[in-house]
Amino acid sequence: MLGIFKSPQEIPVINDPQVINQRYKYWRLHIMMTMYVGYAAFYFTRKSFNFTMPAMIAELGMEKADIGILSTLFYIIYGCSKFLSGIISDRSNPRFFMGIGLIATGIINIFFGLSSSLLAFSLLWSLNAFFQGWGWPPCSKLLNFWYSRSERGAWWAVWNTAHNLGGALIPLLAGFCALHFGWRYGLIVPGMLAIVIGLFLCVRLRDKPSTMGLPSIGQWRKDALEQVHEQDASGLSTRDILLQYILKSRMLWLLALASILVYVVRTAINDWGNLYLTEVHNYNLVSANSAATFFEIGGFLGSLVAGWGSDRFFRGNRGPMNIIFSVGVLASSITLWLITSSSYLLQGSCFFLLGFFIFGPQLLLGMAAAEHSHKEASGAATGFIGLFSYIGAALAGYPIAKVLEFFQWPGFFIVIICSSAIISLLLLPFLAESKTNKV
């Protein structure tokens, strides 16, 4: 790593326990708040396109297949970027890696809003996907180094709700701008906000505790499981860590395959849900976007329950809670398909339940990957899961568009329900894994 992206050098540990306690308490809270706002802002520039899509289709005469191509391009590049960025971010300074990535996505959104051709949209949205991959890995690194195993589920769950805050606000912001000022402002305004928040990240984030003269989080909290994780395979090279703890890990591959299907369900509902409500239930754009917001509200609560529950009831084991939530995904997917009423309350409730259950595995799979890997490779491990996640998200783009073209909405729901059922099957081995206190 070069220049400002280079991770600071570790410095000797402070001798005063009171100073250590004060700094840990201060920075744990402030790093969490900064990461939270920053990652929510990444959703402003990631989902701005999705929630201006109906207005773009109407004004520019775009086809569903065109939208599907943009979505698929985005998710494939984003998944690759997430894995590559995960490897790099483990050796980089999170404050600039994440902050500059967000600033870049903001600039790209502004240019997207000023463009009109499918070629320009494809190039810009692909570039946006690359810089979107700079958001998650630094957060994974910080969550792994500033919060210990026995408490990480709750802290990670709180951070994970940033997805839902950003995802809940952007349909309202983009929809309002598109309705009153035109779809272009639905991208330009979120882009401007992202630039401001990106600068805030560059100022307020920090790196690992050891770069600030603090002991490891396992030592500070006297967390035995975390201390074992910190000592495990110390001194291995990056190549050895990638081979031993990621590419040759059977459990990580199971997590990756399950993550593909989690993201098929999550992305299909997120990206096509408002169009479903406008076409099948005759909602206007604002009503459809506001109903789809219940998906994120449900996800907000589901993330908190999943993370807290895995700490509280299963002592940091993520497997049992993953199974519970994956069964909930299946049940709520079937419910959304069977509810034919156009009642705003019923449709919003279905979106709420799907969000509640799908964001549980979305949270726990990434956390399990970080905890099942080497301490110094949390970004690479979660980036590996992210690569497969966005293969799933890509499948929810152009392939789902073709399913809609040939089989309409019944075909859409069959894909969602089958994906939900297979998630549960893939996660069954983690029940046995949890009995040995492994994730």
Side-chain angles (χ1 to χ4, degrees):
M1 299 302 300
L2 301 174
I4 60 174
F5 290 107
K6 187 176 182 180
S7 185
Q9 292 291 323
E10 296 183 2
I11 61 176
V13 176
I14 298 168
N15 294 322
D16 189 338
Q18 185 175 357
V19 173
I20 291 173
N21 288 337
Q22 289 174 346
R23 291 193 180 182
Y24 248 120
K25 290 176 182 178
Y26 176 86
W27 282 111
R28 274 157 54 95
L29 178 61
H30 283 260
I31 286 173
M32 175 58 67
M33 292 170 59
T34 306
M35 283 193 302
Y36 193 96
V37 173
Y39 204 71
F42 268 97
Y43 266 66
F44 279 24
T45 52
R46 185 181 309 172
K47 293 298 180 182
S48 52
F49 164 68
N50 299 98
F51 293 105
T52 57
M53 175 179 60
M56 289 179 65
I57 290 175
E59 181 177 324
L60 301 177
M62 298 177 70
E63 301 291 336
K64 288 179 183 176
D66 296 333
I67 302 299
I69 289 171
L70 291 178
S71 295
T72 297
L73 275 174
F74 178 91
Y75 291 128
I76 291 173
I77 295 171
Y78 177 52
C80 293
S81 174
K82 207 171 183 180
F83 183 36
L84 177 62
S85 300
I87 297 171
I88 296 172
S89 72
D90 285 327
R91 304 289 183 267
S92 71
N93 191 336
R95 63 193 296 192
F96 296 114
F97 198 90
M98 186 177 181
I100 291 174
L102 182 56
I103 291 169
T105 69
I107 294 170
I108 293 164
N109 262 247
I110 292 171
F111 278 102
F112 191 99
L114 298 174
S115 303
S116 297
S117 71
L118 182 61
L119 177 59
F121 290 153
S122 300
L123 292 173
L124 287 167
W125 216 236
S126 297
L127 191 59
N128 185 36
F130 173 75
F131 285 107
Q132 286 286 338
W134 293 29
W136 161 266
C139 293
S140 174
K141 175 181 178 179
L142 292 171
L143 287 163
N144 211 36
F145 277 94
W146 285 90
Y147 312 95
S148 71
R149 178 67 174 267
S150 61
E151 61 169 357
R152 188 177 293 126
W155 282 98
W156 199 306
V158 170
W159 169 81
N160 196 68
T161 61
H163 295 80
N164 309 110
L165 177 65
L169 291 178
I170 188 57
L172 302 178
L173 175 62
F176 176 84
C177 292
L179 183 65
H180 293 282
F181 307 106
W183 66 266
R184 298 181 187 279
Y185 286 92
L187 289 125
I188 293 171
V189 172
M192 294 172 66
L193 288 173
I195 292 171
V196 173
I197 296 173
L199 293 171
F200 172 71
L201 294 179
C202 291
V203 173
R204 290 301 297 166
L205 275 185
R206 292 295 184 272
D207 204 330
K208 297 183 294 186
S210 58
T211 65
M212 301 174 65
L214 298 174
S216 73
I217 185 63
Q219 294 171 339
W220 182 65
R221 281 186 48 83
K222 299 178 175 62
D223 187 329
L225 279 176
E226 187 67 19
Q227 290 181 37
V228 170
H229 195 202
E230 289 167 350
Q231 295 169 2
D232 189 28
S234 58
L236 288 180
S237 68
T238 300
R239 178 181 178 277
D240 290 337
I241 290 172
L242 287 173
L243 287 174
Q244 181 176 338
Y245 285 87
I246 297 177
L247 298 180
K248 293 183 179 180
S249 171
R250 182 177 70 90
M251 302 310 284
L252 216 63
W253 278 101
L254 284 175
L255 291 172
L257 294 174
S259 197
I260 290 176
L261 298 176
V262 166
Y263 271 73
V264 167
V265 177
R266 175 190 163 186
T267 308
I269 297 298
N270 216 347
D271 288 3
W272 298 99
N274 63 339
L275 194 63
Y276 166 72
L277 292 172
T278 57
E279 289 192 351
V280 176
H281 296 286
N282 300 313
Y283 285 27
N284 61 39
L285 179 59
V286 174
S287 296
N289 283 354
S290 64
T293 297
F294 284 100
F295 180 75
E296 301 294 344
I297 296 172
F300 185 100
L301 296 175
S303 294
L304 292 175
V305 172
W308 171 80
S310 67
D311 283 347
R312 176 68 177 81
F313 300 113
F314 303 108
R315 296 186 299 176
N317 293 316
R318 317 304 172 189
M321 192 62 76
N322 251 330
I323 295 292
I324 293 170
F325 271 70
S326 62
V327 172
V329 173
L330 175 61
S332 54
S333 299
I334 295 172
T335 302
L336 181 62
W337 188 21
L338 296 180
I339 294 294
T340 57
S341 170
S342 295
S343 164
Y344 185 89
L345 178 61
L346 285 176
Q347 292 297 325
S349 298
C350 288
F351 275 84
F352 176 90
L353 287 173
L354 255 176
F356 181 90
F357 286 113
I358 198 63
F359 275 90
Q362 185 272 330
L363 160 76
L364 295 171
L365 291 177
M367 195 188 315
E371 293 174 345
H372 200 70
S373 182
H374 188 272
K375 183 75 174 179
E376 295 287 344
S378 57
T382 55
F384 179 75
I385 298 298
L387 171 61
F388 284 85
S389 298
Y390 283 92
I391 290 173
L395 294 174
Y398 185 74
I400 288 288
K402 300 306 288 185
V403 168
L404 285 169
E405 181 180 334
F406 289 106
F407 304 104
Q408 283 72 52
W409 291 104
F412 174 89
F413 280 105
I414 289 173
V415 171
I416 298 303
I417 290 167
C418 290
S419 298
S420 303
I422 298 172
I423 292 168
S424 302
L425 296 176
L426 287 170
L427 292 175
L428 284 176
F430 286 87
L431 288 178
E433 184 81 356
S434 68
K435 294 177 183 178
T436 62
N437 206 34
K438 295 179 182 178
V439 181

